[in-house]
Each structure stands twice: as structure tokens, then as C-alpha cells.
DNA sequence: ACAAATATTTAGATTAGTCTAAATATTTAG
DNA sequence: CTAAATATTTAGACTAATCTAAATATTTGT
């Protein structure tokens, strides 16, 4: 059995690898885990010992098949619990992450599969992130950043890049949520801020910083 | 914040105190926790330091108000999660304890209160054990052992003393479950085994050992 | 290409939780 | 009431996860 700490390292490595790098550096991992590089070196030795990661001194790490499967199962649990908390217990999308951080470590394959069925096999979590199925297969979606859309284009909001409570609450305030129809009305040349129209109704101004953190699908 | 281990010690002390003793001995606690007495001595020093228990060398321990509140909150979470697992995810009563042992340590008062509401404020868990409310108040029930009932008496099954998977599965097999009507037909003088009638229908033989582990309310 | 900057590993400590073995205190029984 | 049995605590050690400081390796920039 793996400890919570080991599971969290595997998840962190998975997410860093997802970003494109071919191996995860000690420093990148220590930043993500908010620990010191020396601590990371100790831990990656342990994970390599357990054959959950591939590690060569000074060369960074990658996940073995076994390690990857564990990372995906943690992510699956995290996202399913978030759906449960929002859909069934009526928490808001900015309130669920910390609870899911704990719930993702509950050990029972059967439990997560029953939750999955109870929720009707959702494909995305409350933040628009894909939920891998029981076999670890992700529903790969081809969303783009709202910041990269052309004027006049109609889109559907599909997710967020920044998951912070602050950002999520701001989106609530301006009326942005997953599934909303967003039409790009205008891009201001000076600072790249934009004006959008939501569901063909209210018009809203968004900074470039915000637009860079919103994922959409073109209509 | 308290560790899982500390929470488990507090819960164990609570349950041992419930059994009637005025203080819990190091040995009793080490048996319950399946650790060594020396380990318990270390831990009770830590818990006393944190003012969660009252401890005097060689005199055993009791819970402070703070310690008692924590123990009750863990028990509340454990039992509510068990109800959730049985009622919503359709697990059987012999399958839920291990999952609840993990879920009881998830830290969020709000979460447990939402689960409580989601389940419609149940008063008892799937094994008939009372669930304390958000203020820590237990629904005290006055159940008696089936072994102490007189011939001819009609009762309702309200709980179990032994919570083992083996016992629970045996009860399923013979058709005994919480809420069932049990009429005591006959007590065999030789070995105190009994014959009972369930819901006015099937008759079943039960050993004295089984009867000593079933809780009922007289009708 | 090599010195300076940066990244990584090693060495040595610390804390929580556990153990075994030994010391000491309490309880029990003759 | 004391000796033997039992319970409890103390001492010393181990592992996982963390840290700081020092050593070493890699990368970068002139
Ligand atoms: Mn999350
Ligand atoms: Mn999420
Ligand atoms: Mn239980
Ligand atoms: Mn129970």
C-alpha cells in the first residue's frame, strides 16, 4: 500500500508530465509539493525503489506504467468526489477541492466505482476537467483558450486553467460557468482585454489574464 | 489538527469508557489498538499534553470534554458514512466498516453535516448503533439482549453486539436484520439455545452465543 | 571553453509512531 | 503482610517524511 504522500507525489509527477516536459525535475517537483529539493530526492528514491517511477540521478523522473495507473486512479477519485460534492451535496465549485484532496486517498476500488455509477458516469468534473473511466482512459477534449479566439466567434465554456478559489468566485460574480455560451464581441488592442456576450444576453468585459484562464470549444 | 492515529486512540478510549470502567488502562487500550503497552504509554502522554485526556501515571485515562467531543465527532462521521454507503451506494452492512474507518477521518464539519442532511438525519447506522447529532447528543436507546428475553415475548431487532463480517453474514443467511420482528418460542434448558419466529412466519434456531449478540426492544 | 550560476544529491538532524527489553510500580493470593 | 504475578513506564532503537547545510554535478553565458 502507498502512503498519502507517495500518492500525492505520483499525482504531481503525472500533472507535470502532462504539461509536456519529457521528465520532471527535482526542482519542479519540489515547487509543486512545496517541499525542499532534498526532500524530493529522498522521496523519488523511494518511489523508484518501488518501481513506480523511472529515475536516473540528475536526469529527472517519469512514471512507470504502475505509477501512472496509480496517479490516474487518484485523479479519478478526486474528480468523482468533486462531482458528488457539487451535484449531491450542493457545494459550490470553489469549495470542493480541499475535501476532494482528502477523499481521493480513500482506498477502495469498489467505492469509487459505485460513486461513479451513483453519479451516472460523469465525463467531467465541476471545473471541466476530464474524469478517467475505471480503466484509466481519459475523455480527451480539444478545448482552446478564450484568449486565442477571433472576434465574432461563438463558443461554449468548457473549463478553467486557474483553479483558485479567487478565480472561481470571480467567474461566479460575472456569470461565467461551465456550459455557458460566450460570443467574442471585441478585443481591445491596447491591453488585449475583451468584451463578450453571455447566452446572447449580458455583455461582460474580461481582462486578457482572465481570457487566458478560460477554456472554450468553438461553436 | 489531530492525526488519524490520535483520533483513533480517542475513539478507542471513548468506546472503552462506554463499557462502564471509570478509567481506561494502558493494557485495555493496547489490546483495542493492537499495539504494545509501551506504545500506548507514549501516545497517552502526547494526548494528555494536548489536554485531550486526563492521565495520571499508573491510574489509566479518561477523556476531557475536548477529547470526548472529538471522539464523538469521529463516531458520528463513521456511522453517517456507513448509512451513506448502505442507503445510497447499496453496499451490504458487512462491507462498510473498513471504508468508514477511512472516511471518518476526513476533516470538514460542513461535509459531515451535509451528508447528514442528504441522508435525512438518520438516528441509527446500518448496525443499529446510534448516530450523535451535530451537537454530539446520542439518541440513547434501551435495547436488551435477545438472550435475556422471556419465552413468548415479541421483540424488534434493533442492533448487534458483535460487528464482525462473519456474524453479519450469518444473520443475513438466517434472515435476521434490523427492524425484524422476533418472537421467542422456546428456550432449550440444556444449552440455552432458542427457537424464534421471524415476522410471524419462519422459525429459526439460534445458539445462546448468537442470542447474546443480538439487541432487541420488547414490543 | 571555462567560470559562474543553478540544480541536485548527500550528510546529518528532527518528529511521529512504532517496537523490544529492562526497570519499576501496583495488585493479588497465600 | 509480604512475595509473586501482573501492569505500567522508561530506555533505546527503527522507519517515514521532513528540514538545513554542505558537497557535487550540470547548465549557461561570455
Ligand atoms: Mn480539485
Ligand atoms: Mn476539479
Ligand atoms: Mn463500523
Ligand atoms: Mn456501524
Amino acid at each position: 500500500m502507498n502512503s498519502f504522500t507517495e500518492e500525492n507525489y505520483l499525482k504531481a509527477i503525472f500533472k507535470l508530465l502532462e504539461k509536456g516536459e519529457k521528465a520532471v525535475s527535482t526542482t519542479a517537483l519540489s515547487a509543486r509539493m512545496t517541499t525542499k529539493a532534498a526532500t524530493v530526492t529522498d522521496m523519488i528514491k523511494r518511489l523508484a525503489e518501488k518501481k513506480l517511477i523511472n529515475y536516473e540521478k540528475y536526469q529527472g523522473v517519469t512514471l512507470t506504467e504502475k505509477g501512472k495507473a496509480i496517479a490516474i486512479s487518484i485523479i479519478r477519485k478526486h474528480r468523482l468526489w468533486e462531482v458528488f460534492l457539487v451535484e449531491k451535496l450542493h457545494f459550490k465549485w470553489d469549495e470542493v477541492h480541499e475535501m476532494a484532496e482528502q477523499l481521493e486517498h480513500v482506498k477502495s476500488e469498489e467505492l469509487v466505482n459505485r460513486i461513479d455509477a451513483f453519479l451516472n458516469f460523469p465525463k467531467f468534473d465541476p471545473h471541466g476537467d476530464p474524469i478517467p473511466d475505471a480503466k484509466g482512459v481519459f475523455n480527451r477534449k480539444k478545448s482552446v483558450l478564450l484568449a486565442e479566439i477571433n472576434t465574432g466567434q461563438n463558443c461554449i465554456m468548457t473549463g478553467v486553467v486557474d483553479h483558485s478559489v479567487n478565480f472561481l468566485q470571480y467567474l461566479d460574480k460575472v456569470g461565467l460557468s461551465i456550459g455557458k455560451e460566450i460570443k467574442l464581441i471585441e478585443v481591445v488592442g491596447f491591453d488585449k482585454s475583451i468584451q463578450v456576450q453571455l447566452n446572447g444576453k449580458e455583455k461582460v468585459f474580461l481582462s486578457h489574464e482572465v481570457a487566458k484562464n478560460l477554456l472554450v470549444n468553438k461553436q
Side-chain angles (χ1 to χ4, degrees), chain A residues 193-207:
Chain A
S193 66
I194 62 178
Q195 190 184 25
V196 298
Q197 186 173 28
L198 307 183
N199 285 350
K201 298 200 285 259
E202 337 80 90
K203 291 183 180 167
V204 173
F205 283 98
L206 301 174
S207 73

Side-chain angles (χ1 to χ4, degrees), chain A residues 6 22 33 39 44 93 103 116 118 160 187 193 211 214-215:
Chain A
E6 288 169 332
K22 71 175 80 61
M33 299 298 296
T39 304
I44 63 189
W93 68 344
L103 289 162
D116 196 14
F118 184 57
V160 294
V187 180
S193 66
L214 288 177
L215 291 165

Side-chain angles (χ1 to χ4, degrees), chain A residues 6-217:
Chain A
E6 288 169 332
E7 290 183 347
N8 285 335
Y9 271 89
L10 292 174
K11 187 174 56 149
I13 295 166
F14 181 88
K15 292 197 171 185
L16 290 167
L17 287 171
E18 248 188 346
K19 286 213 220 287
E21 297 297 308
K22 71 175 80 61
V24 173
S25 71
T26 301
T27 313
L29 204 39
S30 76
R32 177 119 196 164
M33 299 298 296
T34 46
T35 55
K36 301 296 163 145
T39 304
V40 170
T41 302
D42 279 353
M43 179 54 81
I44 63 189
K45 282 179 186 168
R46 298 169 40 72
L47 293 173
E49 190 66 39
K50 288 178 131 187
K51 309 267 202 231
L52 299 174
I53 63 177
N54 307 114
Y55 168 55
E56 275 186 280
K57 267 193 186 183
Y58 296 99
Q59 306 309 300
V61 300
T62 57
L63 292 169
T64 62
E65 281 310 306
K66 216 171 134 207
K68 188 176 170 188
I70 293 168
I72 290 174
S73 116
I74 303 299
I75 289 167
R76 170 170 157 80
K77 287 190 275 183
H78 183 103
R79 293 180 182 170
L80 282 172
W81 278 114
E82 284 190 345
V83 174
F84 169 73
L85 294 171
V86 168
E87 305 262 297
K88 301 294 182 178
L89 302 190
H90 313 300
F91 281 102
K92 286 180 275 155
W93 68 344
D94 59 296
E95 299 175 318
V96 297
H97 181 74
E98 282 315 310
M99 287 177 272
E101 283 292 306
Q102 299 179 62
L103 289 162
E104 72 187 6
H105 300 292
V106 173
K107 267 103 181 161
S108 167
E109 276 308 301
E110 184 63 15
L111 172 56
V112 66
N113 292 336
R114 296 260 183 134
I115 291 274
D116 196 14
F118 184 57
L119 299 170
N120 239 272
F121 308 101
K123 294 279 165 288
F124 300 98
D125 86 358
H127 313 102
D129 295 310
I131 300 174
D133 68 18
K135 301 201 152 112
V137 179
F138 281 90
N139 200 319
R140 283 274 162 231
K141 52 169 189 183
K142 34 15 175 176
S143 294
V144 295
L145 298 181
L146 177 58
E148 289 162 1
I149 291 294
N150 295 323
T151 309
Q153 176 73 57
N154 228 321
C155 326
I156 298 291
M157 176 168 158
T158 58
V160 294
V161 178
D162 184 321
H163 285 62
S164 71
V165 170
N166 249 339
F167 185 56
L168 298 175
Q169 287 181 351
Y170 164 78
L171 295 179
D172 279 342
K173 203 170 62 188
V174 300
L176 281 164
S177 55
I178 307 285
K180 199 135 271 196
E181 184 186 311
I182 302 177
K183 184 174 184 180
L184 184 48
I185 307 290
E186 188 199 356
V187 180
V188 177
F190 173 61
D191 63 356
K192 297 191 196 148
S193 66
I194 62 178
Q195 190 184 25
V196 298
Q197 186 173 28
L198 307 183
N199 285 350
K201 298 200 285 259
E202 337 80 90
K203 291 183 180 167
V204 173
F205 283 98
L206 301 174
S207 73
H208 182 58
E209 192 56 32
V210 166
K212 276 194 302 182
N213 280 290
L214 288 177
L215 291 165
V216 298
N217 276 352

